[in-house]
Amino acid sequence: MIAADIAEQIHNQYETAIKNGSLKLTESTSKKLKDSVSGMPYLVNFAPILAEKPESNSSSESNEDPFENPCDDLIVSKDINEDGSYKLLLNKYPIVPEHTLLVTNEFKDQSSALTPNDLMLAYKFICKMDNEDENIRNLVFYNSGPASGSSQNHKHLQSFKIPSNFITFQDKLCSGKDHFLPNIKDEPLQDNKVAFAHFVLPLPEDSTSVDEDLLAMSYFSLLQRTLTFFQDWLNEKPDLVKSYNVLLTKNWICLVPRSHSKTSDYKPEPKPEEPMEKITEETEEEPKKEEEPEEDLTVDLSINATGYAGMVLVKDQETYDKILKNPDLIDKSLFECGFPNTSDKRPNEYNY
Ligand code: B4P
């Protein structure tokens, strides 16, 4: 059982850790943007100070597992579920306050699938943390596999409050829809206006009807579709390693298959060569039109699960400026780090 006052415990521990210098909130500015095609809302967090740090905030420099013996100030609970399975830690390097980590007490691999117990714990945690009267909603996410954006191999789920007044595209997709399990007739929800593949299921409004079985069946039905990509792309891209993001709120669950953790790893397919121009015997040469320089559409983004809820972390000024000028670059980046949207495709036999 998760303690009834867990939100208060997190708050108090966070204050202590800040006061003692065990945790430092990285300064960032945030800006709301919208995709011009899909209308997908974005919240871009710009944290230039992170660009100065090594690629991962983790203690990977020492190859140590930072979650094995965490500093006391970061521990909210050593046994959050009162069954020995999970501890609750504060994120040592947050950019939003009270960002927490649900970490397995025994070492488990971050690429392992979520268990019914993991899912139920995450859901119960959200139920305890959400506060409808105060309009507080929480997101739990899981970055699994090398291309998912994860930097730590010790199994952990993460959670923070969804910024107030931010509506994710999954919220819109699930609005007014009842919970269902996918079958041959009803595929998981997928917004056909965004470029990247994702699979979403609405969860029951009444939290008392949500149990381990319902969460596990929802998760595994989405996981099956997610893993189909790695099966299908095996011949074309044999180096692909199974990676995906899980996003969970009280209202929905979403899985996103991942091909790259950052945009700089993406290599576009080479364009087919232009046919050679015919040489004609015309005498008068037409004056050559001055070619407009092509707009530079490359951005440098590392994307984890939060990106696929529209919350994007930007570390360098150049990328930030480009995104402010052209917010549609976010959808392009989410596509490059994911797989093509499949909402117009009929399910094949692998999906079942
Ligand atoms: P992972 O799943 O492995 O990786 P991640 O969240 O993508 O963060 P990463 O470490 O790659 O950092 P990034 O520059 O992308 O999670 C590992 C978690 O453990 C991280 O949260 C990390 O901070 C934390 N951690 C590492 N060592 C620790 C220790 N000794 N004790 C406690 N916790 C430890 O992102 C920088 C920061 O911004 C990360 O905290 C990230 O979670 C957060 N972030 C990224 N996108 C965000 C968004 N859109 N909104 C809010 N926060 C965001």
Side-chain angles (χ1 to χ4, degrees):
M1 265 266 285
I2 299 176
D5 66 345
I6 194 68
E8 204 183 324
Q9 287 185 31
I10 292 171
H11 177 75
N12 293 341
Q13 198 60 47
Y14 179 79
E15 294 293 315
T16 306
I18 289 271
K19 194 169 85 209
N20 293 347
S22 308
L23 179 163
K24 194 172 178 296
L25 182 69
T26 298
E27 256 180 60
S28 66
T29 47
S30 58
K31 183 117 190 129
K32 271 191 192 172
L33 299 170
K34 203 185 215 181
D35 189 273
S36 73
V37 179
S38 65
M40 179 171 167
Y42 300 127
L43 188 73
V44 179
N45 275 312
F46 178 45
I49 201 153
L50 291 177
E52 294 159 22
K53 294 196 173 147
E55 188 135 295
S56 156
N57 284 330
S58 63
S59 53
S60 55
E61 306 101 55
S62 60
N63 263 342
E64 253 177 47
D65 174 0
F67 303 148
E68 201 188 344
N69 291 308
C71 135
D72 277 353
D73 280 351
L74 297 179
I75 304 173
V76 181
S77 167
K78 287 184 175 166
D79 188 10
I80 170 95
N81 207 22
E82 294 179 352
D83 61 358
S85 60
Y86 270 87
K87 57 190 157 208
L88 181 69
L89 304 181
L90 295 170
N91 178 358
K92 191 175 167 68
Y93 307 103
I95 60 159
V96 294
E98 299 180 24
H99 179 158
T100 54
L101 310 171
L102 287 159
V103 179
T104 56
N105 270 318
E106 198 183 300
F107 181 89
K108 287 192 185 154
D109 199 283
Q110 185 71 5
S111 55
S112 62
L114 293 175
T115 65
N117 186 46
D118 298 340
L119 290 159
M120 197 63 213
L121 168 65
Y123 183 79
K124 283 193 296 188
F125 181 70
I126 293 171
C127 291
K128 285 267 161 68
M129 296 292 293
D130 280 10
N131 184 332
E132 243 175 74
D133 298 337
E134 292 181 25
N135 200 16
I136 294 175
R137 299 175 64 214
N138 288 268
L139 170 74
V140 165
F141 57 98
Y142 184 56
N143 301 321
S144 184
S148 69
S150 93
S151 62
Q152 296 299 335
N153 285 332
H154 186 146
K155 194 174 193 181
H156 63 283
L157 293 95
Q158 308 192 46
S159 181
F160 58 64
K161 288 188 188 81
I162 299 175
S164 54
N165 303 326
F166 185 68
I167 312 277
T168 66
F169 84 101
Q170 290 94 339
D171 292 323
K172 291 186 187 171
L173 199 60
C174 293
S175 170
K177 304 231 170 51
D178 290 332
H179 170 69
F180 67 94
L181 284 173
N183 57 39
I184 197 86
K185 279 210 304 278
D186 295 311
E187 273 297 292
L189 305 179
Q190 189 171 182
D191 185 337
N192 62 4
K193 292 194 278 322
V194 301
F196 56 90
H198 58 281
F199 303 106
V200 190
L201 288 179
L203 292 175
E205 222 172 286
D206 173 14
S207 59
T208 59
S209 58
V210 175
D211 57 16
E212 275 194 9
D213 286 348
L214 182 141
L215 289 172
M217 284 192 287
S218 301
Y219 167 74
F220 282 110
S221 67
L222 302 184
L223 186 62
Q224 247 174 337
R225 281 147 181 91
T226 298
L227 299 185
T228 301
F229 287 87
F230 299 91
Q231 183 81 33
D232 288 354
W233 287 58
L234 204 61
N235 289 339
E236 245 170 282
K237 297 191 192 304
D239 298 338
L240 269 182
V241 182
K242 194 179 78 182
S243 300
Y244 62 97
N245 297 126
V246 181
L247 298 93
L248 181 74
T249 68
K250 193 159 173 265
N251 309 99
W252 47 259
I253 178 167
C254 171
L255 264 68
V256 180
R258 295 292 303 274
S259 56
H260 302 94
S261 65
K262 43 184 194 281
T263 48
S264 53
D265 287 345
Y266 173 79
K267 301 278 169 287
E269 300 292 328
K271 280 188 193 162
E273 271 184 35
E274 300 266 333
M276 294 260 280
E277 263 178 49
K278 269 193 197 160
I279 300 165
T280 55
E281 287 182 7
E282 279 169 33
T283 46
E284 247 181 74
E285 252 187 49
E286 271 190 45
K288 270 196 181 165
K289 276 190 212 149
E290 236 180 74
E291 277 185 27
E292 291 230 356
E294 267 187 38
E295 193 188 345
D296 178 8
L297 299 177
T298 51
V299 289
D300 189 6
L301 288 177
S302 297
I303 301 178
N304 71 16
T306 59
Y308 289 89
M311 293 179 264
V312 180
L313 178 62
V314 180
K315 300 179 185 174
D316 73 286
Q317 185 75 50
E318 195 187 332
T319 293
Y320 188 54
D321 292 343
K322 282 185 188 171
I323 285 175
L324 291 189
K325 199 170 149 217
N326 182 1
D328 295 2
L329 291 174
I330 298 177
D331 187 64
K332 179 176 173 285
S333 305
L334 295 172
F335 166 77
E336 290 174 357
C337 292
F339 287 88
N341 190 298
T342 56
S343 52
D344 62 341
K345 300 235 170 14
R346 298 290 312 148
N348 63 28
E349 70 268 26
Y350 289 127
N351 298 138
Y352 295 98

